[in-house]
PDB file of all heavy atoms in Angstrom:
ATOM      1  N   ARG A 529      -8.538  72.852 -57.940  1.00 94.00           N
ATOM      2  CA  ARG A 529      -9.451  72.409 -56.800  1.00 94.00           C
ATOM      3  C   ARG A 529      -9.863  73.506 -55.967  1.00 94.00           C
ATOM      4  O   ARG A 529     -10.765  73.318 -55.155  1.00 94.00           O
ATOM      5  CB  ARG A 529      -8.531  71.395 -56.053  1.00 94.00           C
ATOM      6  CG  ARG A 529      -8.476  70.000 -56.775  1.00 94.00           C
ATOM      7  CD  ARG A 529      -7.513  69.070 -56.073  1.00 94.00           C
ATOM      8  NE  ARG A 529      -7.525  67.823 -56.820  1.00 94.00           N
ATOM      9  CZ  ARG A 529      -6.531  66.975 -56.761  1.00 94.00           C
ATOM     10  NH1 ARG A 529      -5.411  67.247 -56.105  1.00 94.00           N
ATOM     11  NH2 ARG A 529      -6.546  65.853 -57.454  1.00 94.00           N
ATOM     12  N   VAL A 530      -9.298  74.757 -56.076  1.00 94.00           N
ATOM     13  CA  VAL A 530      -9.843  75.918 -55.370  1.00 94.00           C
ATOM     14  C   VAL A 530     -10.334  76.978 -56.177  1.00 94.00           C
ATOM     15  O   VAL A 530     -10.474  78.140 -55.791  1.00 94.00           O
ATOM     16  CB  VAL A 530      -8.652  76.381 -54.319  1.00 94.00           C
ATOM     17  CG1 VAL A 530      -8.206  75.329 -53.359  1.00 94.00           C
ATOM     18  CG2 VAL A 530      -7.503  76.917 -55.151  1.00 94.00           C
ATOM     19  N   SER A 531     -10.564  76.592 -57.431  1.00 94.00           N
ATOM     20  CA  SER A 531     -10.934  77.627 -58.438  1.00 94.00           C
ATOM     21  C   SER A 531     -12.368  78.145 -58.187  1.00 94.00           C
ATOM     22  O   SER A 531     -12.628  79.277 -58.740  1.00 94.00           O
ATOM     23  CB  SER A 531     -10.828  77.013 -59.868  1.00 94.00           C
ATOM     24  OG  SER A 531     -11.793  75.936 -60.009  1.00 94.00           O
ATOM     25  N   GLY A 532     -13.187  77.361 -57.531  1.00 95.00           N
ATOM     26  CA  GLY A 532     -14.693  77.798 -57.416  1.00 95.00           C
ATOM     27  C   GLY A 532     -15.447  77.423 -58.650  1.00 95.00           C
ATOM     28  O   GLY A 532     -16.629  77.656 -58.670  1.00 95.00           O
ATOM     29  N   ASP A 533     -14.810  76.842 -59.629  1.00 95.00           N
ATOM     30  CA  ASP A 533     -15.542  76.368 -60.887  1.00 95.00           C
ATOM     31  C   ASP A 533     -15.960  74.898 -60.579  1.00 95.00           C
ATOM     32  O   ASP A 533     -15.126  73.967 -60.483  1.00 95.00           O
ATOM     33  CB  ASP A 533     -14.522  76.360 -61.978  1.00 95.00           C
ATOM     34  CG  ASP A 533     -15.131  75.923 -63.366  1.00 95.00           C
ATOM     35  OD1 ASP A 533     -15.900  74.970 -63.299  1.00 95.00           O
ATOM     36  OD2 ASP A 533     -14.903  76.644 -64.399  1.00 95.00           O
ATOM     37  N   THR A 534     -17.323  74.688 -60.392  1.00 96.00           N
ATOM     38  CA  THR A 534     -17.803  73.377 -59.938  1.00 96.00           C
ATOM     39  C   THR A 534     -17.362  72.227 -60.935  1.00 96.00           C
ATOM     40  O   THR A 534     -16.866  71.258 -60.455  1.00 96.00           O
ATOM     41  CB  THR A 534     -19.287  73.428 -59.920  1.00 96.00           C
ATOM     42  OG1 THR A 534     -19.715  74.458 -59.011  1.00 96.00           O
ATOM     43  CG2 THR A 534     -19.827  72.129 -59.424  1.00 96.00           C
ATOM     44  N   TRP A 535     -17.381  72.510 -62.248  1.00 94.00           N
ATOM     45  CA  TRP A 535     -17.046  71.483 -63.206  1.00 94.00           C
ATOM     46  C   TRP A 535     -15.525  71.169 -63.051  1.00 94.00           C
ATOM     47  O   TRP A 535     -15.167  69.999 -62.935  1.00 94.00           O
ATOM     48  CB  TRP A 535     -17.284  71.923 -64.581  1.00 94.00           C
ATOM     49  CG  TRP A 535     -16.535  71.183 -65.651  1.00 94.00           C
ATOM     50  CD1 TRP A 535     -16.758  69.962 -66.026  1.00 94.00           C
ATOM     51  CD2 TRP A 535     -15.474  71.681 -66.487  1.00 94.00           C
ATOM     52  NE1 TRP A 535     -15.858  69.560 -66.980  1.00 94.00           N
ATOM     53  CE2 TRP A 535     -15.071  70.612 -67.338  1.00 94.00           C
ATOM     54  CE3 TRP A 535     -14.796  72.931 -66.597  1.00 94.00           C
ATOM     55  CZ2 TRP A 535     -13.964  70.709 -68.134  1.00 94.00           C
ATOM     56  CZ3 TRP A 535     -13.740  73.074 -67.436  1.00 94.00           C
ATOM     57  CH2 TRP A 535     -13.414  71.908 -68.255  1.00 94.00           C
ATOM     58  N   LEU A 536     -14.722  72.195 -62.978  1.00 95.00           N
ATOM     59  CA  LEU A 536     -13.219  71.947 -62.907  1.00 95.00           C
ATOM     60  C   LEU A 536     -12.915  71.195 -61.629  1.00 95.00           C
ATOM     61  O   LEU A 536     -12.132  70.269 -61.650  1.00 95.00           O
ATOM     62  CB  LEU A 536     -12.598  73.264 -62.946  1.00 95.00           C
ATOM     63  CG  LEU A 536     -11.040  73.355 -63.208  1.00 95.00           C
ATOM     64  CD1 LEU A 536     -10.781  72.747 -64.541  1.00 95.00           C
ATOM     65  CD2 LEU A 536     -10.612  74.894 -63.235  1.00 95.00           C
ATOM     66  N   MET A 537     -13.506  71.590 -60.541  1.00 96.00           N
ATOM     67  CA  MET A 537     -13.145  70.993 -59.230  1.00 96.00           C
ATOM     68  C   MET A 537     -13.617  69.479 -59.236  1.00 96.00           C
ATOM     69  O   MET A 537     -12.932  68.643 -58.770  1.00 96.00           O
ATOM     70  CB  MET A 537     -13.915  71.753 -58.112  1.00 96.00           C
ATOM     71  CG  MET A 537     -13.360  73.200 -57.903  1.00 96.00           C
ATOM     72  SD  MET A 537     -14.388  74.243 -56.919  1.00 96.00           S
ATOM     73  CE  MET A 537     -14.236  73.510 -55.245  1.00 96.00           C
ATOM     74  N   GLN A 538     -14.836  69.215 -59.783  1.00 96.00           N
ATOM     75  CA  GLN A 538     -15.353  67.843 -59.797  1.00 96.00           C
ATOM     76  C   GLN A 538     -14.412  66.932 -60.666  1.00 96.00           C
ATOM     77  O   GLN A 538     -14.169  65.824 -60.302  1.00 96.00           O
ATOM     78  CB  GLN A 538     -16.769  67.837 -60.337  1.00 96.00           C
ATOM     79  CG  GLN A 538     -17.751  68.371 -59.333  1.00 96.00           C
ATOM     80  CD  GLN A 538     -19.081  68.360 -59.795  1.00 96.00           C
ATOM     81  OE1 GLN A 538     -19.365  68.260 -61.030  1.00 96.00           O
ATOM     82  NE2 GLN A 538     -20.091  68.529 -58.942  1.00 96.00           N
ATOM     83  N   VAL A 539     -13.984  67.461 -61.790  1.00 96.00           N
ATOM     84  CA  VAL A 539     -13.085  66.635 -62.676  1.00 96.00           C
ATOM     85  C   VAL A 539     -11.779  66.349 -61.956  1.00 96.00           C
ATOM     86  O   VAL A 539     -11.340  65.214 -61.952  1.00 96.00           O
ATOM     87  CB  VAL A 539     -12.910  67.367 -64.038  1.00 96.00           C
ATOM     88  CG1 VAL A 539     -11.836  66.596 -64.832  1.00 96.00           C
ATOM     89  CG2 VAL A 539     -14.163  67.446 -64.845  1.00 96.00           C
ATOM     90  N   CYS A 540     -11.192  67.354 -61.456  1.00 96.00           N
ATOM     91  CA  CYS A 540      -9.899  67.187 -60.822  1.00 96.00           C
ATOM     92  C   CYS A 540     -10.017  66.239 -59.505  1.00 96.00           C
ATOM     93  O   CYS A 540      -8.893  65.730 -59.071  1.00 96.00           O
ATOM     94  CB  CYS A 540      -9.248  68.598 -60.520  1.00 96.00           C
ATOM     95  SG  CYS A 540      -8.663  69.386 -61.951  1.00 96.00           S
ATOM     96  N   GLU A 541     -11.119  66.096 -58.880  1.00 96.00           N
ATOM     97  CA  GLU A 541     -11.265  65.196 -57.762  1.00 96.00           C
ATOM     98  C   GLU A 541     -11.127  63.726 -58.236  1.00 96.00           C
ATOM     99  O   GLU A 541     -10.861  62.881 -57.363  1.00 96.00           O
ATOM    100  CB  GLU A 541     -12.586  65.376 -57.141  1.00 96.00           C
ATOM    101  CG  GLU A 541     -12.669  66.657 -56.185  1.00 96.00           C
ATOM    102  CD  GLU A 541     -11.558  66.648 -55.131  1.00 96.00           C
ATOM    103  OE1 GLU A 541     -11.362  65.595 -54.470  1.00 96.00           O
ATOM    104  OE2 GLU A 541     -10.774  67.631 -55.063  1.00 96.00           O
ATOM    105  N   ARG A 542     -11.203  63.519 -59.512  1.00 97.00           N
ATOM    106  CA  ARG A 542     -11.114  62.128 -60.068  1.00 97.00           C
ATOM    107  C   ARG A 542      -9.684  61.926 -60.601  1.00 97.00           C
ATOM    108  O   ARG A 542      -9.385  61.002 -61.198  1.00 97.00           O
ATOM    109  CB  ARG A 542     -12.053  61.953 -61.211  1.00 97.00           C
ATOM    110  CG  ARG A 542     -13.546  61.824 -60.702  1.00 97.00           C
ATOM    111  CD  ARG A 542     -14.438  61.330 -61.759  1.00 97.00           C
ATOM    112  NE  ARG A 542     -14.710  62.330 -62.801  1.00 97.00           N
ATOM    113  CZ  ARG A 542     -15.557  63.241 -62.811  1.00 97.00           C
ATOM    114  NH1 ARG A 542     -16.420  63.349 -61.760  1.00 97.00           N
ATOM    115  NH2 ARG A 542     -15.759  64.080 -63.899  1.00 97.00           N
ATOM    116  N   MET A 543      -8.703  62.832 -60.263  1.00 97.00           N
ATOM    117  CA  MET A 543      -7.367  62.801 -60.724  1.00 97.00           C
ATOM    118  C   MET A 543      -6.415  62.703 -59.477  1.00 97.00           C
ATOM    119  O   MET A 543      -6.558  63.540 -58.584  1.00 97.00           O
ATOM    120  CB  MET A 543      -7.000  63.961 -61.554  1.00 97.00           C
ATOM    121  CG  MET A 543      -7.898  64.073 -62.842  1.00 97.00           C
ATOM    122  SD  MET A 543      -7.593  65.756 -63.701  1.00 97.00           S
ATOM    123  CE  MET A 543      -5.965  65.531 -64.335  1.00 97.00           C
ATOM    124  N   GLU A 544      -5.461  61.767 -59.544  1.00 96.00           N
ATOM    125  CA  GLU A 544      -4.517  61.714 -58.369  1.00 96.00           C
ATOM    126  C   GLU A 544      -3.168  61.596 -58.999  1.00 96.00           C
ATOM    127  O   GLU A 544      -2.854  60.783 -59.902  1.00 96.00           O
ATOM    128  CB  GLU A 544      -4.828  60.497 -57.541  1.00 96.00           C
ATOM    129  CG  GLU A 544      -3.997  60.453 -56.267  1.00 96.00           C
ATOM    130  CD  GLU A 544      -4.589  59.400 -55.236  1.00 96.00           C
ATOM    131  OE1 GLU A 544      -5.505  58.797 -55.587  1.00 96.00           O
ATOM    132  OE2 GLU A 544      -3.929  59.299 -54.163  1.00 96.00           O
ATOM    133  N   LEU A 545      -2.195  62.346 -58.586  1.00 96.00           N
ATOM    134  CA  LEU A 545      -0.860  62.388 -59.099  1.00 96.00           C
ATOM    135  C   LEU A 545       0.103  61.579 -58.257  1.00 96.00           C
ATOM    136  O   LEU A 545       0.084  61.638 -57.093  1.00 96.00           O
ATOM    137  CB  LEU A 545      -0.389  63.912 -59.050  1.00 96.00           C
ATOM    138  CG  LEU A 545       1.093  64.113 -59.492  1.00 96.00           C
ATOM    139  CD1 LEU A 545       1.234  63.725 -60.931  1.00 96.00           C
ATOM    140  CD2 LEU A 545       1.451  65.613 -59.346  1.00 96.00           C
ATOM    141  N   TYR A 546       0.874  60.708 -58.969  1.00 94.00           N
ATOM    142  CA  TYR A 546       1.835  59.926 -58.398  1.00 94.00           C
ATOM    143  C   TYR A 546       3.181  60.222 -59.002  1.00 94.00           C
ATOM    144  O   TYR A 546       3.511  59.833 -60.112  1.00 94.00           O
ATOM    145  CB  TYR A 546       1.597  58.457 -58.588  1.00 94.00           C
ATOM    146  CG  TYR A 546       0.567  57.887 -57.623  1.00 94.00           C
ATOM    147  CD1 TYR A 546      -0.744  58.104 -57.866  1.00 94.00           C
ATOM    148  CD2 TYR A 546       0.948  57.151 -56.484  1.00 94.00           C
ATOM    149  CE1 TYR A 546      -1.742  57.681 -56.983  1.00 94.00           C
ATOM    150  CE2 TYR A 546      -0.001  56.722 -55.610  1.00 94.00           C
ATOM    151  CZ  TYR A 546      -1.330  56.966 -55.862  1.00 94.00           C
ATOM    152  OH  TYR A 546      -2.272  56.529 -54.941  1.00 94.00           O
ATOM    153  N   PRO A 547       4.063  61.058 -58.346  1.00 93.00           N
ATOM    154  CA  PRO A 547       5.363  61.354 -58.963  1.00 93.00           C
ATOM    155  C   PRO A 547       6.208  60.076 -58.978  1.00 93.00           C
ATOM    156  O   PRO A 547       6.194  59.224 -58.131  1.00 93.00           O
ATOM    157  CB  PRO A 547       6.016  62.294 -57.913  1.00 93.00           C
ATOM    158  CG  PRO A 547       4.786  62.786 -57.105  1.00 93.00           C
ATOM    159  CD  PRO A 547       3.796  61.735 -57.040  1.00 93.00           C
TER     160      PRO A 547
END
Side-chain angles (χ1 to χ4, degrees):
R529 286 169 179 157
V530 298
S531 65
D533 183 318
T534 302
W535 162 69
L536 197 57
M537 294 166 69
Q538 288 177 344
V539 173
C540 286
E541 283 305 312
R542 293 190 288 272
M543 301 169 68
E544 190 165 2
L545 176 62
Y546 281 79

